[in-house]
Amino acid sequence: MIVLLFLVFLIPFLTMRNFSPVSDEISHLPSGYSYLKTGEIKLNPQHPPLIKMLAALPLLFLDIKFNADDPALAGPQTNEWQFGRNFLSDNGIDRIFFWGRIPMILLSVLLGWYIFRWGRELFGYSAGVAALFIYTLMPNIIAHSQLVTTDMGLTVFSFISIYYLWKFNSTGNRKNAIFSGLNLGLALGSKFSAVFLLPVFPVLLAVYFSKKPGAVLYKFNSFLKIILLIFGLAFLVIWGLYFFSSDPAFYWNGLSSVYADHNPDFQYYLNDNFSSIGWWYYFIFAFIIKTPISFLATLLAALVFFRKNSIGLLNYLFLLFPAALFLFIASWRAHNIGVRYILVIYPFLILFVGGWITKQFRISNFEFRISSIKIKTGMV
């Protein structure tokens, strides 16, 4: 397990210096540094601040030239792209992105640990290792864990928040609900598309409380206390990430600015075709094309032949419902510009496949031992 986690870090670390900055990084990393230095979120408001600040954190320990009076930052009309270009040219692009990408890789390692942990607790140690092995070699994870973009952060904290919600479901310990709420806040502070999680929590909690004994009113009160605890903690985390803004609509203002600068003449591309509105099946198609065939085949087999009674239907719901809902919402609302928009579904599906594989192996191994016993008995 330790070796696999080391590889989760090592593979993108060795390859990241071969990649020039992608367009979002030119804005994200300098914007995050400006937040840390000024305590104000002026640039790039169409994305929450957490991932940008995490990426910029190592830069605080470097000798960085920062012009707080840059008109692109301090002027009446900010320009995140111009400020980013100025910031990078003043400080050296290679050096800035080497250190800025390290926190992204560490987030990927954190996610790998939680995939192993959840797999071990849900299916057994072998399943945790199998899921972590698949995760370590998943091309889309490797590619996006070395870039300063918000997608990996959303993926990491969404998965962890659902994991702790599952832990609460398994143990009833309110501490896990607290951790779930804190990580939900981190997910919402990573990317605005994390709002897809908001209906996931009440649905899963409603199923959990519906199965508990007791009067309906008692179960509803218990449900209400937990959901308010989770959402309340998430709000406090987001508020803190926005430096405790005095504007009560601080998060809504950012959310409403998503796609505000979108070019209405932009043409999406898919299979030699262009479209101004995109395709409803774009992300399904992208998932199929961008995911290894071996994983797709195993996932299909797991979906067709899984045994709901092996770990309980509710446990499978924790793995498949968030992934299915996010894929649906992305297909419905997201712009068709890359598979990274559905990166968040991968850890849930990886864990599901890892658990299924190990259960199939155990069943086959058990049947083989039984057959051997019968053969030896017959010979006697």
Side-chain angles (χ1 to χ4, degrees):
M1 183 270 293
I2 298 297
V3 173
L4 290 174
L5 287 176
F6 177 69
L7 289 175
V8 171
F9 177 86
L10 185 64
I11 294 172
F13 177 80
L14 293 177
T15 60
M16 70 176 183
R17 301 197 72 173
N18 298 322
F19 292 95
S20 58
V22 300
S23 60
D24 283 356
E25 289 183 297
I26 297 172
S27 168
H28 287 350
L29 188 51
S31 294
Y33 190 79
S34 76
Y35 304 161
L36 295 174
K37 294 295 287 186
T38 66
E40 295 182 279
I41 299 175
K42 299 177 68 175
L43 302 175
N44 195 239
Q46 61 268 37
H47 296 286
L50 174 60
I51 300 306
K52 292 174 283 185
M53 290 195 293
L54 283 178
L57 198 59
L59 304 186
L60 294 176
F61 302 94
L62 304 179
D63 182 18
I64 296 293
K65 297 177 182 178
F66 175 72
N67 182 10
D69 297 321
D70 187 331
L73 172 64
Q77 195 155 10
T78 60
N79 188 324
E80 63 197 67
W81 303 105
Q82 186 58 51
F83 175 80
R85 287 189 288 268
N86 295 342
F87 180 84
L88 294 173
S89 64
D90 288 343
N91 293 287
I93 293 177
D94 290 342
R95 180 176 70 131
I96 292 297
F97 280 109
F98 173 82
W99 290 107
R101 288 169 171 174
I102 295 294
M104 301 298 101
I105 301 176
L106 294 176
L107 282 179
S108 178
V109 175
L110 179 65
L111 177 56
W113 160 250
Y114 271 97
I115 287 175
F116 165 77
R117 180 175 177 176
W118 196 353
R120 180 189 62 189
E121 294 175 10
L122 184 58
F123 298 104
Y125 183 86
S126 298
V129 173
L132 178 57
F133 177 79
I134 297 170
Y135 172 80
T136 302
L137 301 179
M138 183 60 68
N140 285 313
I141 298 296
I142 295 172
H144 293 285
S145 64
Q146 56 192 291
L147 301 175
V148 184
T149 59
T150 55
D151 304 282
M152 196 66 199
L154 168 68
T155 302
V156 173
F157 294 117
S158 296
F159 185 83
I160 297 175
S161 67
I162 298 297
Y163 162 75
Y164 279 113
L165 186 67
W166 172 81
K167 284 281 285 184
F168 172 78
N169 167 75
S170 303
T171 65
N173 191 331
R174 186 167 294 196
K175 176 184 68 174
N176 292 308
I178 292 173
F179 286 137
S180 182
L182 294 175
N183 281 281
L184 173 60
L186 295 176
L188 291 164
S190 299
K191 191 169 184 175
F192 285 119
S193 52
V195 295
F196 95 94
L197 289 169
L198 297 182
V200 170
F201 280 77
V203 168
L204 293 176
L205 281 174
V207 174
Y208 163 70
F209 280 109
S210 69
K211 295 180 176 296
K212 291 181 69 66
V216 173
L217 184 60
Y218 170 77
K219 291 191 286 187
F220 177 75
N221 287 335
S222 300
F223 164 83
L224 203 58
K225 288 178 182 177
I226 295 300
I227 200 66
L228 289 177
L229 172 66
I230 291 173
F231 284 174
L233 288 171
F235 172 78
L236 289 177
V237 170
I238 298 168
W239 192 28
L241 292 173
Y242 277 84
F243 302 108
F244 301 103
S245 172
S246 59
D247 182 2
F250 68 92
Y251 196 75
W252 173 256
N253 292 337
L255 183 61
S256 61
S257 70
V258 176
Y259 298 144
D261 57 352
H262 175 68
N263 181 1
D265 297 323
F266 183 83
Q267 295 286 307
Y268 303 105
Y269 174 83
L270 180 65
N271 285 342
D272 292 330
N273 294 306
F274 291 90
S275 170
S276 60
I277 60 173
W279 300 265
W280 69 266
Y281 56 85
Y282 174 89
F283 289 106
I284 299 173
F285 185 84
F287 175 74
I288 295 172
I289 294 298
K290 293 284 189 176
T291 304
I293 294 175
S294 56
F295 181 79
L296 291 175
T298 310
L299 173 62
L300 180 61
L303 290 171
V304 172
F305 298 111
F306 88 97
R307 301 182 179 185
K308 66 180 182 180
N309 294 327
S310 58
I311 59 170
L313 189 58
L314 181 57
N315 285 323
Y316 281 117
L317 194 63
F318 271 90
L319 298 183
L320 298 179
F321 177 58
L325 180 63
F326 193 82
L327 181 59
F328 170 77
I329 293 175
S331 300
W332 173 40
R333 297 289 297 173
H335 287 195
N336 296 172
I337 58 175
V339 73
R340 66 186 178 91
Y341 274 33
I342 59 167
L343 194 68
V344 71
I345 75 174
Y346 277 91
F348 294 100
L349 298 181
I350 287 170
L351 183 53
F352 174 68
V353 167
W356 183 82
I357 289 174
T358 52
K359 283 193 171 293
Q360 296 304 115
F361 175 79
R362 288 173 186 169
I363 291 171
S364 299
N365 194 35
F366 176 76
E367 290 175 348
F368 175 77
R369 290 200 304 270
I370 295 297
S371 298
S372 301
I373 291 171
K374 287 181 179 179
I375 290 172
K376 290 178 181 178
T377 303
M379 290 176 64
V380 173

